[in-house]
């Protein structure tokens, strides 16, 4: 099916740094939020943080289930922090062990409480969408506001809201139509559930949102996905949700194409749950090995991962890297002569859209032209990622252009020899994935400085320390980033 392009998506404003007034701020390598990356060889092993996708799903599932669930391997980041704070406001009790490695959650049995203030989700799209359904389970008369920062307020949620309103939910937009903040009026009857038709061509998070809360609806849920002739967006993330629901003992069946039935008898929490490493985060240290001719092992993400992004290493293999994968680990060795080659034909990244920027970073120093397609939903993420990638690579004199559903990059291996004194400042637009992708570029190309380094805290707070531990020469504000032992 033809994929939606989002080229003319009406509600995406320019990033504030693109406006004229930002010219008043001069980029400087002495800024403590700016990281200067020098080319070097990446060698070693890291354990990446727990999967964001799994962490937020497990947190909400454990909060809804009956009984206590002990979660280990959880991602410690901005996104999981806002989810936990929101759950706490809705009466969910939890506590950490002394080392903050295990979180004990006391499930609510689907009985969430009315919060006494708004649920502020920062720019956490997953948590915002998941809770937009869950708050309708509250069996009290009142109202809940689900909101976020300025960027979250222009991220789409209309298809989910439309589907929920069709089941009787009372939801209003407080500001821009089709985006948060939303005002949800709750009733003593909770959420009806029942037959639901959901447009699923914009975000898989809408689908997961309904499936996760369905067990506590008044009626069994039958969810039919309408792909509007464009295909269901990011199906692997829906598969992660289905896998987790089954492991939590929830009665879910897929009947026919894109039709899901979920029972409404609730579920008992698993007593213990381990969150595997984040396959999206793993792409960055693996890509560092690819572009530097090094060898990097990710200790906690392998071929038994339930995340579609765990297959990214196979793309690097096609570009000339050596790959070894076990059930729980992935090792990538980059070519010693640095000769990476573009993949012929279109690279369809519909199954791992978030990683197109990692591939674009590798493609920038590869020989040939790389065409990445079916990633159009990346135009409505933390920023317009396709546009941002084109703009920032162009600063480095990499030839690239936007496609209807993707991006084309013509690699220039000669840029490995560009002058280190010609500093180019990369603006990640407060987007964690943009910042980490350009760290990969900087490992191969001299003279790259990345601003807003703390934006990686959204999913990978230890990224810069991990990069340093792998041998990268990384300096923040003119000072080397502190190394950290990470291979255990």
């Amino acid at each position: 099916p033809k994929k939606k392009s989002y080229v003319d998506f009406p509600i995406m404003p320019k990033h504030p740094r693109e406006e004229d007034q930002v010219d008043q701020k001069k980029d400087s390598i002495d800024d403590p939020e700016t990281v200067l990356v020098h080319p070097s060889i990446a060698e070693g092993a890291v354990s990446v943080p727990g999967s964001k996708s799994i962490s937020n799903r497990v947190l909400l599932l454990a909060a809804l289930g009956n009984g206590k669930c002990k979660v280990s391997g959880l991602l410690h980041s901005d996104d999981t922090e806002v989810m936990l704070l929101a759950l706490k406001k809705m009466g969910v009790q939890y506590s950490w062990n002394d080392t903050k490695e295990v979180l004990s959650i006391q499930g609510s049995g689907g009985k969430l409480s009315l919060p006494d203030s708004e649920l502020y989700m920062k720019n956490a799209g997953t948590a915002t969408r998941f809770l937009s359904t869950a708050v309708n389970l509250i069996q009290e008369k009142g109202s809940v506001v689900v909101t976020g920062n300025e960027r979250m307020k222009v991220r789409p949620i209309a298809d989910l809201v439309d589907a929920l309103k069709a089941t009787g939910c009372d939801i209003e937009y407080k500001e821009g139509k089709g985006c948060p903040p939303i005002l949800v009026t709750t009733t003593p009857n909770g959420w009806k559930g029942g037959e639901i038709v959901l447009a699923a061509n914009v975000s898989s998070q809408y689908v997961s949102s309904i499936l996760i809360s369905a067990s506590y609806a008044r009626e069994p849920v039958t969810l039919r996905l309408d792909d509007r002739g464009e295909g269901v967006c990011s199906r692997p993330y829906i598969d992660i949700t289905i896998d987790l629901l089954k492991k939590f003992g929830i009665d879910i069946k897929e009947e026919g194409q894109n039709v899901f039935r979920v029972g409404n008898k609730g579920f008992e929490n698993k007593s213990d749950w381990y969150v595997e490493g984040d396959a999206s985060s793993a792409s960055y240290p693996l890509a560092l090995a690819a572009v530097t001719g090094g060898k990097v092992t990710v200790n906690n993400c392998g071929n038994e991962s339930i995340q579609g992004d765990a297959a990214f290493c196979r793309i690097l293999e096609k570009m000339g890297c050596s790959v070894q994968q076990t059930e729980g680990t992935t090792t990538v060795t980059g070519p010693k002569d640095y000769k990476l080659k573009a993949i012929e034909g279109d690279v369809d990244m519909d199954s791992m859209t978030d990683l197109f920027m990692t591939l674009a970073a590798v493609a920038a120093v590869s020989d040939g032209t790389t065409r990445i397609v079916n990633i159009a939903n990346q135009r409505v993420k933390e920023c317009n990622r396709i546009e941002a990638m084109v703009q920032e690579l162009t600063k480095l004199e990499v030839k690239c252009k936007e496609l209807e559903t993707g991006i084309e990059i013509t690699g220039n291996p000669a840029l490995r020899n560009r002058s280190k004194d010609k500093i180019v400042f990369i603006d990640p637009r407060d987007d964690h994935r943009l910042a980490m992708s350009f760290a990969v570029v900087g490992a191969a190309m001299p003279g790259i400085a990345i601003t807003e380094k703390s934006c990686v805290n959204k999913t990978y707070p230890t990224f810069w320390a991990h990069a340093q531990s792998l041998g990268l020469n990384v300096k923040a504000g003119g000072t080397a980033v502190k190394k950290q032992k990470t291979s255990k």
Side-chain angles (χ1 to χ4, degrees):
K2 188 178 189 304
K3 295 289 182 180
K4 192 176 183 69
S5 69
Y6 298 94
V7 170
D8 300 314
F9 200 78
I11 60 171
M12 304 304 293
K14 285 187 176 182
H15 182 269
R17 288 180 64 87
E18 296 168 13
E19 305 293 349
D20 293 339
Q21 62 262 35
V22 301
D23 290 340
Q24 300 169 11
K25 182 180 184 297
K26 187 173 178 61
D27 288 318
S28 167
I29 58 172
D30 295 322
D31 186 332
E33 272 295 301
T34 296
V35 172
L36 187 62
V37 183
H38 298 279
S40 46
I41 297 175
E43 297 272 358
V46 294
S47 294
V48 294
S51 162
K52 181 187 85 164
S53 299
I54 297 174
S55 290
N56 269 330
R57 284 164 173 79
V58 168
L59 284 176
L60 183 51
L61 283 167
L64 291 175
N66 289 294
K68 183 177 286 188
C69 180
K70 291 184 177 180
V71 185
S72 57
L74 194 68
L75 170 65
H76 291 263
S77 75
D78 290 348
D79 275 25
T80 50
E81 179 186 2
V82 294
M83 174 65 94
L84 280 169
L85 289 173
L87 293 173
K88 187 175 184 179
K89 282 187 175 183
M90 291 188 287
V92 177
Q93 297 180 357
Y94 58 83
S95 62
W96 291 97
N97 69 345
D98 291 342
T99 59
K100 292 205 168 182
E101 293 176 343
V102 180
L103 180 72
S104 295
I105 303 178
Q106 182 61 51
S108 66
K111 297 186 184 303
L112 300 174
S113 301
L114 195 66
D116 57 9
S117 60
E118 68 181 19
L119 303 182
Y120 178 71
M121 310 308 295
K122 294 186 178 178
N123 193 16
T126 306
T128 300
R129 274 92 177 236
F130 287 4
L131 292 181
S132 293
T133 301
V135 294
N136 291 280
L137 295 173
I138 295 172
Q139 296 178 15
E140 301 177 47
K141 186 176 181 179
S143 62
V144 184
V145 173
V146 181
T147 188
N149 64 14
E150 290 307 306
R151 181 62 195 179
M152 193 66 237
K153 289 181 178 181
V154 294
R155 295 180 67 177
I157 200 170
D159 292 335
L160 176 60
V161 169
D162 289 348
L164 291 171
K165 288 176 75 170
T167 68
C169 296
D170 186 343
I171 306 174
E172 298 177 13
Y173 298 110
K174 285 179 64 68
E175 293 180 20
K177 186 177 180 181
C179 304
I182 58 171
L183 172 67
V184 180
T185 300
T186 59
T187 73
N189 296 322
W191 179 38
K192 177 182 175 231
E195 297 276 340
I196 304 171
V197 177
L198 172 68
N201 60 316
V202 173
S203 174
S204 64
Q205 293 171 0
Y206 304 158
V207 182
S208 295
S209 176
I210 287 175
L211 293 178
I212 290 170
S213 290
S215 293
Y216 290 96
R218 293 201 313 275
E219 299 177 9
V221 167
T222 298
L223 177 63
R224 302 178 189 276
L225 305 186
D226 177 7
D227 67 6
R228 294 174 175 171
E230 298 167 1
V232 172
C233 182
S234 302
R235 173 66 200 233
Y237 286 96
I238 300 172
D239 292 337
I240 290 174
T241 301
I242 294 169
D243 183 89
L244 293 175
L245 293 184
K246 288 179 177 178
K247 286 175 178 174
F248 269 82
I250 293 170
D251 178 21
I252 177 169
K253 296 181 178 65
E254 184 169 3
E255 300 181 356
Q257 187 174 20
N258 299 326
V259 179
F260 305 93
R261 299 190 191 280
V262 186
N264 66 333
K265 298 187 183 304
F267 60 94
E268 296 296 320
N269 270 331
K270 292 179 67 70
S271 57
D272 295 280
W273 187 272
Y274 172 71
V275 177
E276 65 183 57
D278 192 300
S280 306
S281 295
S283 74
Y284 306 108
L286 297 177
L288 288 173
V291 301
T292 66
K295 181 179 181 180
V296 172
T297 296
V298 173
N299 289 327
N300 57 340
C301 187
N303 58 25
E304 284 200 346
S305 170
I306 64 173
Q307 303 166 76
D309 289 1
F312 179 76
C313 60
R314 298 303 169 188
I315 294 178
L316 297 178
E317 190 173 42
K318 290 179 181 178
M319 300 179 82
C321 296
S322 171
V323 173
Q324 292 84 40
Q325 213 172 22
T326 68
E327 293 136 346
T329 70
T330 303
T331 301
V332 168
T333 305
K336 298 300 180 186
D337 59 4
Y338 306 125
K339 290 186 178 179
L340 294 161
K341 58 183 183 296
I343 299 172
E344 291 185 11
D346 291 350
V347 183
D348 187 340
M349 294 194 74
D350 180 54
S351 65
M352 53 180 91
T353 55
D354 279 353
L355 300 191
F356 94 87
M357 288 176 289
T358 321
L359 175 55
V362 178
V365 291
S366 299
D367 185 28
T369 298
T370 301
R371 285 175 55 90
I372 305 170
V373 298
N374 285 339
I375 56 162
N377 71 323
Q378 296 294 303
R379 288 190 169 105
V380 289
K381 291 285 189 172
E382 280 79 347
C383 66
N384 183 334
R385 287 173 166 172
I386 300 175
E387 177 187 72
M389 203 72 196
V390 168
Q391 290 176 353
E392 300 305 310
L393 284 175
T394 300
K395 288 182 184 177
L396 296 167
E397 300 178 358
V398 175
K399 186 179 178 182
C400 53
K401 65 179 181 180
E402 286 194 53
L403 305 175
E404 184 180 6
T405 70
I407 185 173
E408 180 179 285
I409 304 112
T410 299
N412 187 354
L415 288 171
R416 290 178 179 273
N417 301 315
R418 71 183 298 276
S419 172
K420 67 178 181 180
D421 298 321
K422 188 180 178 182
I423 304 295
V424 172
F425 288 89
I426 300 298
D427 172 17
R429 297 153 171 79
D430 200 31
D431 188 325
H432 53 133
R433 301 210 184 283
L434 206 62
M436 292 185 282
S437 296
F438 274 94
V440 173
V441 179
M445 270 186 220
I448 291 181
I450 302 164
T451 62
E452 302 176 338
K453 72 178 179 68
S454 296
C455 67
V456 302
N457 293 345
K458 183 175 174 64
T459 53
Y460 199 164
T462 53
F463 172 74
W464 299 114
H466 279 196
Q468 188 84 335
S469 77
L470 293 172
L472 251 66
N473 187 345
V474 180
K475 293 184 177 179
T479 305
V481 173
K482 187 177 180 181
K483 285 190 178 182
Q484 189 179 73
K485 292 181 180 179
T486 55
S487 60
K488 64 182 180 179

